[in-house]
Every structure is written in C-alpha cells, then in structure tokens.
Amino acid sequence: MTRMNLAGRLRRVRDLLEEPLLDLACRILMGAGGKRTGRRPFGAEELKLLVRSLAAQNLFGIGGKMVPAFEREFALAYGVPYAVGSTSGTAAIHLAVGALDLNPGDEVITSPITDLGTIIPILYQGGIPVFADIDGTYTLDPADVERKITSDTRAIIAVHLFGNACDMEALTDIARRHRVALIEDAAQAHMTRYRERLLGTIGDFGCFSFQQSKPMTTGDGGMTVTADEAAYQRMSLFVDKGYARKGWGPRAYLFHAPNYRMTELVGAVGRAQLRKVSGVVRQRARLGAQMTALVERIPGLRPAPVTPGAEHTYWMYPVWVEAGDVGRMGEALARERIPVLPGYIGKPIYLCSESLAAKKTYGDSHWPFSLRPDRAYEYAPGLCPRAEETLEHLLCIAWDESWTPRDVERVARALEGAGRTLAPVALTVPRLGQLEAVRPVPASGDGGLRHRLRIGVVGCGQVGRWHLDAYRVLPTVKLVACTDVDAARAAECAQRAGARPYTSHRAMLAGERLDGVSLCTVPATHHEIALDLLDAGVPVLCEKPLAVSLEEARAMAARADARGVLLVPAFKFRFHEEVGRARELLTRGVLGEILAFRVMFGGPANVRGTWYVRRSLSGGGVIMDIGPHAVDLIRFLLGEIEDVRAEVILPEGWEVEPTARLAVRLVGGATGVVDLSWTVPVPSPAYLEIYGDRGALLLDRQGLSYRLAPWAEWKRLPNTSTAEQAFARQLAHFADGLTGRGERVLGASDGVRAQALIEAAYASLVSGSAVAPPAPHVAV
Ligand SMILES: Cc1ncc(COP(=O)(O)O)c(C=O)c1O
C-alpha cells in the first residue's frame, strides 16, 4: 500500500465516521451536567449545527451558510416567500416599520398590553404610538382600532398576546378599507393557526421573537416574514445599515438604518429550533386546554379566552382572578414554585415607559410628539380602561411544554388554594371605584363635558328616595330636580339632594337642562311621563314595571329608539354581586345541563291601603310588581322563557293578587317555579335556586353557595358589598350610558321582554294553560 493510498483511506474513514461521531459527541456533551429538569429547549441538534458554524471559520451571517438557510427554511415552514433574520423581536418589528418608511409624526395604532419591543421601533422611526383598547380576548378591539384611525395613521400592529390571535378578519378588513399596513407582532404566537392560516402570514408583515422564553429560541433573535417583494428588499437593506452591497459601487448606504444582522451562531440554533417548534406549541396548546377545563371549575377564576377561529398556543396562561389581590396570589404560588407574573406587565405599556408617559425621547426635544402641537397625545391612566382593568385581574402562569398533565393539575390545585386564602374584593359588574375614575364625556366624543351629569328624580316615594341617595354617592352626578305631585314630598327630597323641587315633570322639563331622569312614579304613569321625557331628548331610567301593559312598553321602547335616547329598566338584581358571580359560573357551564330552578320573592309586605293594591295605579298585583325582577333574573342567568302559567291567591275584597306562583318553561326545556308574595313568608333563605346535572347554586342577599359534582360539601362566596352599593352600581351603569362609556348590561328591550312575560302570565289566568310571551316587537 502506497503512502497516498493510506492517506486517502484514512480520509475516507474519517469522512464516514465524522457524522456519527459528531452526533454521539454532541449527545454526550448536551447530556453532561447542566440543567436536568424543567424546560430544556436545546439539545444535540443545536450543538451539532453550532460546531459546523465554528468549523466553517465564519460567523458573519451575510454570505454565510446558516443565516440564509435559516431564513429560507423559516419562510418555507410558514408558507411565505420571504423571511429576514435579525437580532431580536424588537428588531424584527423595526424591520417591518422601517420598510414602511414613515414620515415623522405618522401614527401607528397598537395594543396597550404588550412588550416595549412593539413600541420602540415606532418611536425610533419618528412615528407616534396610538393605543386602541382591548376586548374580551385581551387583544385589540377592532371597533376601537377603527375609532382611532386618523388621516395620519400608517399602520396597525396587532399583538397576538400570550399566543392568542387578534381578530384578524376584522383587522384585515379595517386595514384594507383605510389603506394602512397591518403588522402582526407574533413574538408570543409561533406556529399558531388561525382559520387555516398561520399567525404572522395574514397581515403585510409577521414579526417573531426568539428571546429565551419564546416557543422557539436562540437566546435572542428575530425574524420578519412578508409576501411583498419590495418590502423584503427594503428589509434586507434595513437590517444591514441600509448598505447596498451589490450594484451600487464600493460603498452605498441607501437610507438611515441600524445594524441588526443575525450571526451564524444564532442562525445555526434557529435552524435546529425550527424543526422542534411545531411539537413545542402543540404540547403547550394541549396542556393549556387541560388547564382551561380545570380553571372553569374553580369559582372566582376565569380561564384564558380563545379568539373565535383561533387555536391558543399559550406562551403564558392568563387566569382572570375575579376577586382578591393578584400580587398576593402570585406570592402564594411562587412559594409553591409555580412561576407566575401577577398582572403580566403590571400596567399598560404606555404607563411603563418614560418615553411615552413623560415623552422623554431624544434629549429634551419630546420629538416626535413635538411635531404635532395640534394633537394632545396623552399617555395617562384612563386611556384604555379595559386594558387597565384587565391587568389588575390577570395572573399569568409561565407556561412550559416540559410539564405533564399532572403538573397542570398541581398548578390548578395551587391556584384554587391561593384563591381561597385571599379576601375577595372585585366584582363582575361595574365597580364604583372604576366609575369614580371616569371623566364624563358626551357620547359624541367631541371633548369632555364641563359639568357633572344633571339628573332629576321623578317620584319621591320610597323607591325615589333610594335613587336619590344612591346618586348622591356618584361623583359624576349632580342632582338638580326632585319632582312629585305631593309638593311637600318634592320639597323635602329636593332639600336633601340640594336640588330644585317640582310638582310635575313638565314643569321640571321647562325649568331644567337635564342629562337624565330616574322615573319612580306609580307604574300607570310611566308611559306618559317617559314619552314626554324621551321626546324632550332626556334619557330615562325607569323603575319596574316598565309600564302596565306590553303595548305601552313597546311604545316607550319605540320612542326611545326613534329619538336615539336611552331608556333603561331598573332591574337592579343584575347589579347584585351574587348574581354577577352566578352568571360567571353559569356561562362557564359548571352546573352542566340546567334541570330546574326556583325563584322566591316573598313578603310579607304591608301593602294594604297603598297604591300597590289599586289596579288603576299599579296595573296589577304582585305579578306586575315583583314579577319583572323574577323574569329578568331568569332571562339574565338562564336564557329566554318559552312559556309561563300563573296561579294566584285572590282573597276576598282584594282588587289585585297579593300571592302568585308562576310555572316557567325555558326555551332549552328546563322548568322552574316562581313564588311571588306580599303576604306569605319565603320558605327558604335563598331567593334563587338553580339545579343542574353537575351542580347547584343558591343565591341569597348575602352571597352565593354552590355545590358541584361529585356533590362534595357546599362552598360559599360571601358578598363583599352591600345591597346599597349594588343599587348604586345600577345608577352608575345608567350614568355610564349617558356618557357613552362602560358595557351596556341592560336596555329597553329587556324591559319590553319582561313586560311580554307579565302579560303572558296574566293571560294564562284566563286561558287556564301555559301561554307563550307575545313577540316583544310590534309586527310590521
Ligand atoms: C409581544 C412582544 N412583542 C415584542 C417583543 C420584543 O421581542 P424581543 O425581546 O425579542 O426584542 C416581545 C418580547 O417579549 C413581545 O412579547
């Protein structure tokens, strides 16, 4: 054998052995020492490609092997033509914003709940971040995005928070109609499906972060994808100082741009990670779905919302804590070594950064805000109320694909335990604290109201006085008029409220400029007074019953509709804490199929000799008086009513029934009994009982009790606010309606529907059989 032959053979043996030896060595090395438990994103695959990069004696990405291959493979995996690698998620977004070539002062709309990495690129490019509020998915509310669009808007950055998609159908439509670019910040949503597509590939640009905590990671790194060739060309230059390396002579920098070049080391790790990411996110999604099923059964907690049409891939698992301090709950979980972030970023991003809150950008210049002295860009509390409230309630669990289903069970158990030990404070219905912070603005949104809401109370009996006392604690309200046919009563109430007395609503209308009125007169007068008020453009909160007949109720709702003026029935139970909690549990389906329910609103109340028993004033007996509350509660918690049959006890000499029982059947088939009485005591401490095949709920004025399958012990959620506070919440809801703020919980149609059921109940007394409620609307 010649020397040459021997060397050649040895080379061949080395070539043959190199791959298996490298494999073996990498596996041994990655298995040796280091972190053995928990999340271990890196393995032999990464090390092998790292060795190859180093062995190539070049770590510079441009013209290298790993970075171009990573970009090609990433684009292929996402099904898009182009991808550009960079040094971080922030850089990836900067590439997209850079490709738009903003003019200083252009506006970019984005989400208030995100990492500062979404915002920095806007400011660096001279753009002005504009924040739209979120909706129940914790991502951008498309309606608010559209409201925030101006002639200066150039782009929307949609943040797919925690791995949950924005409503991309709506946002794509808005972006197209207003001709603005749509950038997807998919830093937290890798390989996440949305209506047959992948997040990041729906808008004009998709931006990904490979920071250590992300589903695929290179420690730090980023990628921007696009289908637009021109944008791709610009991003390829933008990542490299604008340097046109080919075709422009020895040195040509075509525009102002940073250096965000990815190195071969990052490209190598990225390529290995890309092969794993689908498996990682699918496992995170599986564990997340298990968590949702567990959290749904824990009273006081809400699981992560999932946007319709999307899968959630849980970069974090956000739990909404109804009541209690999420900070203390986080501490309790940390003691059990469960990694959590109470409140995620704590406050909306516009309050976290001095470059927004104090506009401290470049020296003392306040640039680019200084370019627009005509526009007041204020980054202050109240800018996105829903986001601000959401962050107070969220407890974010750092999700981990290395967990097993048993780990998830342990986390859920710890959550339940931590929740039990903390005092509940928050409610699902509008809170007073929240409302106090609200500055009234007219629904037209053209500036702030200079005055507090000017409110009148018509009818100064017991109920009118409740309204009056509750308005007095609302800082947004000024009571200006108290009206009663009894002049002495009107004067007494007016003095108490610091308002002017009137003896007729017409005199009040002539004498006052009103923003709203509580109508608390006897029911037979509601129709006439409400029509006058609505005709004068004054919104009405009308005590129950809305009217004494369906025809009148329909006419009132139609007038409110025609005049575009608010008419709200006073169904106060919707604002009770225990009712809000019950609705929470019922919408999550924790009781399973609803089988039966029972409502008990009973006296005795001393109504003899009062207007209550005079049909010409009251319109009916206890069915007309308390029936609307019962019917509304059933509709609010359990759904629409199919039919109703009433039985009454009518003692000698009574004009109207003081005691009644309604048999109610729901559209879904469940049946229930409603006992109403001014004379007979309630046979149970609970006023509402609901029974399902997987649990039962009992509601009383002090709280809620529940028991779930396998029918272990009863649990109790006591109320933390009084009935007076619940009543005040109802009025605050009305006041919110006057300023165009807050969620609408009740409307005129609810009053009309309740009236239709009251009418059906009385009709059943005549027919002797169950009667379906007449259509709430007049047939045209
Ligand atoms: C939603 C979102 N956008 C942008 C970024 C910025 O990414 P990076 O930290 O890689 O710059 C992050 C990072 O956490 C993020 O979560």
Side-chain angles (χ1 to χ4, degrees):
M1 199 188 296
T2 65
R3 246 168 189 237
M4 272 303 279
N5 266 348
L6 185 60
R9 278 178 185 210
L10 282 174
R11 243 193 333 270
R12 281 235 309 278
V13 171
R14 193 196 64 196
D15 286 350
L16 272 173
L17 287 179
E18 186 186 291
E19 189 68 25
L21 281 178
L22 182 59
D23 253 352
L24 185 66
C26 288
R27 230 169 269 155
I28 292 169
L29 287 170
M30 286 308 288
K35 186 169 174 260
R36 294 213 174 267
T37 54
R39 190 168 186 243
R40 299 177 79 241
F42 308 120
E45 308 79 357
E46 283 77 9
L47 183 56
K48 212 166 120 186
L49 289 178
L50 281 173
V51 171
R52 293 228 182 276
S53 315
L54 290 164
Q57 301 300 329
N58 168 51
L59 295 181
F60 186 51
I62 291 180
K65 268 205 162 122
M66 293 296 170
V67 174
F70 182 28
E71 291 172 335
R72 258 195 327 274
E73 287 161 11
F74 197 91
L76 198 67
Y78 277 84
V80 286
Y82 309 111
V84 182
S86 58
T87 50
S88 69
T90 309
I93 297 167
H94 203 163
L95 259 58
V97 177
L100 296 179
D101 198 17
L102 300 185
N103 279 315
D106 282 348
E107 294 174 352
V108 178
I109 300 175
T110 191
S111 170
I113 307 186
T114 187
D115 179 83
L116 196 67
T118 314
I119 313 301
I120 292 167
I122 306 173
L123 285 172
Y124 266 95
Q125 290 310 108
I128 295 183
V130 171
F131 293 93
D133 212 343
I134 57 161
D135 61 21
T137 64
Y138 309 153
T139 66
L140 278 176
D141 171 5
D144 203 36
V145 169
E146 191 144 26
R147 272 194 290 276
K148 298 284 165 65
I149 286 185
T150 70
S151 54
D152 291 321
T153 308
R154 288 291 307 281
I156 300 165
I157 304 185
V159 180
H160 303 306
L161 195 71
F162 305 139
N164 188 36
C166 295
D167 180 347
M168 288 306 289
E169 274 191 350
L171 292 179
T172 310
D173 176 54
I174 292 168
R176 192 178 33 76
R177 278 191 288 106
H178 294 275
R179 294 168 190 274
V180 300
L182 181 55
I183 298 172
E184 291 179 73
D185 179 344
Q188 304 180 2
H190 294 201
M191 278 288 163
T192 302
R193 287 186 286 247
Y194 174 87
R195 300 194 194 284
E196 314 290 313
R197 300 177 71 177
L198 287 172
L199 292 180
T201 68
I202 303 167
D204 300 293
F205 300 90
C207 310
F208 299 84
S209 161
F210 307 135
Q211 180 271 338
Q212 178 70 28
S213 67
K214 301 299 178 336
M216 68 171 270
T217 174
T218 57
D220 255 326
M223 190 72 77
T224 315
V225 300
T226 186
D228 179 332
E229 193 190 345
Y232 165 68
Q233 299 295 356
R234 196 173 160 92
M235 291 197 296
S236 305
L237 293 168
F238 193 91
V239 76
D240 186 22
K241 309 177 223 171
Y243 188 4
R245 290 177 186 264
K246 286 189 199 134
W248 290 80
R251 281 274 155 175
Y253 299 96
L254 301 191
F255 46 80
H256 184 57
N259 172 359
Y260 282 150
R261 292 185 306 245
M262 182 181 271
T263 70
E264 287 284 276
L265 293 176
V266 171
V269 177
R271 290 181 71 194
Q273 286 280 297
L274 185 62
R275 291 167 202 161
K276 302 177 180 174
V277 65
S278 283
V280 168
V281 295
R282 298 288 91 75
Q283 173 67 356
R284 293 173 88 95
R286 265 193 298 274
L287 296 171
Q290 183 201 349
M291 183 70 176
T292 293
L294 294 170
V295 172
E296 267 170 354
R297 303 181 57 79
I298 305 175
L301 301 184
R302 267 190 236 168
V306 182
T307 302
E311 69 168 343
H312 200 315
T313 52
Y314 301 101
W315 173 61
M316 286 203 177
Y317 190 101
V319 178
W320 177 289
V321 180
E322 244 2 294
D325 175 342
V326 289
R328 283 178 52 210
M329 223 165 138
E331 285 163 20
L333 290 167
R335 282 195 290 277
E336 300 202 32
R337 293 206 309 279
I338 293 167
V340 283
L341 262 166
Y344 179 40
I345 52 172
K347 334 177 248 201
I349 199 71
Y350 52 78
L351 298 178
C352 296
S353 163
E354 284 298 286
S355 48
L356 294 173
K359 301 203 180 84
K360 256 197 93 35
T361 46
Y362 301 89
D364 297 326
S365 69
H366 291 186
W367 192 89
F369 308 103
S370 54
L371 296 169
R372 304 304 309 257
D374 54 320
R375 299 228 173 130
Y377 295 104
E378 283 309 328
Y379 301 103
L383 184 61
C384 296
R386 217 154 163 189
E388 288 172 20
E389 188 198 358
T390 298
L391 292 173
E392 284 174 23
H393 285 270
L394 285 193
L395 194 63
C396 295
I397 301 162
W399 217 230
D400 187 335
E401 68 276 3
S402 74
W403 282 353
T404 64
R406 287 182 65 175
D407 293 319
V408 176
E409 279 167 23
R410 183 177 80 87
V411 173
R413 264 199 312 278
L415 263 175
E416 189 170 16
R420 260 202 305 267
T421 58
L422 296 171
V425 289
L427 305 172
T428 53
V429 284
R431 288 178 300 146
L432 280 177
Q434 227 174 297
L435 291 154
E436 274 152 19
V438 168
R439 261 177 291 119
V441 285
S444 66
D446 57 353
L449 269 187
R450 298 267 172 265
H451 61 79
R452 288 190 286 157
L453 295 165
R454 300 168 60 85
I455 300 289
V457 174
V458 179
C460 297
Q462 178 61 58
V463 177
R465 285 199 291 271
W466 287 343
H467 279 247
L468 194 139
D469 288 341
Y471 278 129
R472 284 165 59 188
V473 304
L474 291 182
T476 52
V477 164
K478 176 173 169 54
L479 277 161
V480 292
C482 291
T483 302
D484 200 290
V485 283
D486 180 334
R489 222 157 57 167
E492 184 208 319
C493 277
Q495 195 188 13
R496 185 147 124 205
R500 261 199 291 264
Y502 292 92
T503 52
S504 84
H505 69 279
R506 293 207 174 106
M508 175 190 76
L509 278 174
E512 298 292 341
R513 194 167 42 76
L514 292 158
D515 294 315
V517 157
S518 271
L519 181 49
C520 311
T521 54
V522 293
T525 62
H526 286 179
H527 173 250
E528 184 196 338
I529 301 175
L531 291 189
D532 284 346
L533 292 168
L534 295 169
D535 280 341
V538 177
V540 178
L541 172 63
C542 184
E543 260 305 329
K544 52 80 204 170
L546 191 59
V548 294
S549 72
L550 176 58
E551 194 188 340
E552 286 185 358
R554 277 175 178 153
M556 290 159 69
R559 192 68 60 88
D561 199 31
R563 299 270 184 259
V565 178
L566 202 61
L567 170 66
V568 184
F571 292 155
K572 64 179 178 188
F573 280 90
R574 290 197 184 203
F575 302 89
H576 275 229
E577 197 174 339
E578 72 277 6
V579 172
R581 290 219 169 105
R583 188 165 145 99
E584 227 2 88
L585 293 170
L586 287 162
T587 35
R588 280 195 238 141
V590 295
L591 297 197
E593 188 192 344
I594 302 300
L595 304 173
F597 57 91
R598 186 171 149 97
V599 180
M600 285 153 289
F601 283 145
N606 193 5
V607 292
R608 289 196 91 165
T610 68
W611 62 262
Y612 283 93
V613 293
R614 289 173 56 197
R615 184 183 295 282
S616 61
L617 297 178
S618 61
V622 76
I623 297 178
M624 184 67 80
D625 179 35
I626 323 179
H629 276 324
V631 161
D632 187 62
L633 250 185
I634 294 168
R635 289 189 57 240
F636 185 54
L637 293 179
L638 301 169
E640 292 300 338
I641 295 172
E642 175 90 39
D643 59 37
V644 57
R645 179 179 176 185
E647 286 173 18
V648 299
I649 296 173
L650 190 63
E652 269 293 311
W654 284 66
E655 260 185 53
V656 296
E657 77 289 350
T659 293
R661 165 169 286 191
L662 312 180
V664 173
R665 195 155 59 94
L666 299 186
V667 169
T671 53
V673 171
V674 177
D675 281 310
L676 305 169
S677 184
W678 290 324
T679 49
V680 181
V682 195
S684 153
Y687 66 81
L688 174 59
E689 299 174 356
I690 304 171
Y691 298 95
D693 63 358
R694 299 199 52 76
L697 274 184
L698 309 183
L699 273 68
D700 58 68
R701 305 293 173 113
Q702 282 76 47
L704 175 153
S705 305
Y706 67 95
R707 188 178 175 195
L708 303 180
W711 310 102
E713 85 280 18
W714 284 95
K715 293 190 180 167
R716 176 86 180 149
L717 292 173
N719 286 348
T720 57
S721 58
T722 63
E724 287 75 32
Q725 284 170 314
F727 197 87
R729 276 196 289 275
Q730 173 187 215
L731 302 200
H733 169 258
F734 177 57
D736 255 7
L738 304 180
T739 58
R741 291 198 174 229
E743 237 175 87
R744 307 303 321 132
V745 177
L746 253 174
S749 62
D750 295 300
V752 178
R753 283 184 189 277
Q755 209 66 45
L757 282 148
I758 299 307
E759 196 130 312
Y762 281 118
S764 75
L765 290 175
V766 180
S767 70
S769 56
V771 174
H777 305 296
V778 193
V780 209

